[in-house]
Structure formats: structure tokens, C-alpha cells
Amino acid sequence: MQCLLPRIGGGGRVAAFEILIATSAVRNLIRMGKSHEIPNVIQLSSQDGMQTLDQSLAKLVKNELITRENALLKSSNPVQLLKLL
């Protein structure tokens, strides 16, 4: 998943994106028909290079590239995003 958000102060847009890597844990969840658990694996697997959209949005807000309001509008889970901020 990917979305473009307006950069603070103008000057274009910034991409926020979710990264999923097909690790053995992810493949196993798919095989077992438990794809609804994949977001949890993504959230806990940053050491493998994965990130949720909300983690990406939180980084952009913390780096003052996008506004908190725009991040919340694009968030798939605003409550989780607020916890990350």
C-alpha cells in the first residue's frame, strides 16, 4: 500500500508506504488461511525490513515532513497511529 501526502510548507508530496516481505512466517499464515494476521507480523517485523502504513506515517510526522492531520486522514488505523506518535 502506498499514498502520497502534501509536504509541509508546499514543495510537492511525500510517499508513505507499507512494506511486506514474504518471510516464512508470512508464507505460513497465507498457507494456513490466516491472512488477517499479516498486519501483526508486519508491525513486529521491522528488523526484517517490514513496516505498516501507520509506522511510515508516524516517521513522516516525527520528521516534520507531513502534518499530523494529513497522516490521520490516510491512516488505516488512526488509534494505532496516535499511539505511535
Side-chain angles (χ1 to χ4, degrees):
M1 180 181 298
Q2 172 180 312
C3 60
L4 292 173
L5 298 107
R7 183 183 296 268
I8 289 177
R13 298 187 173 269
V14 178
F17 46 90
E18 185 168 273
I19 300 171
L20 170 65
I21 297 174
T23 62
S24 58
V26 170
R27 285 188 223 128
N28 191 39
L29 287 174
I30 293 169
R31 222 180 351 266
M32 295 175 66
K34 296 183 178 182
S35 58
H36 62 279
E37 293 181 23
I38 291 175
N40 294 330
V41 173
I42 295 171
Q43 187 174 9
L44 299 173
S45 299
S46 61
Q47 72 278 5
D48 293 326
M50 295 191 221
Q51 74 177 6
T52 65
L53 180 62
D54 289 329
Q55 288 169 329
S56 179
L57 290 167
K59 287 178 193 174
L60 292 171
V61 170
K62 288 177 183 178
N63 290 329
E64 299 180 356
L65 294 172
I66 63 171
T67 65
R68 180 182 176 123
E69 293 76 22
N70 281 331
L72 288 167
L73 288 173
K74 293 294 183 176
S75 174
S76 56
N77 186 344
V79 173
Q80 179 63 33
L81 177 58
L82 287 172
K83 289 179 185 177
L84 293 170
L85 293 172

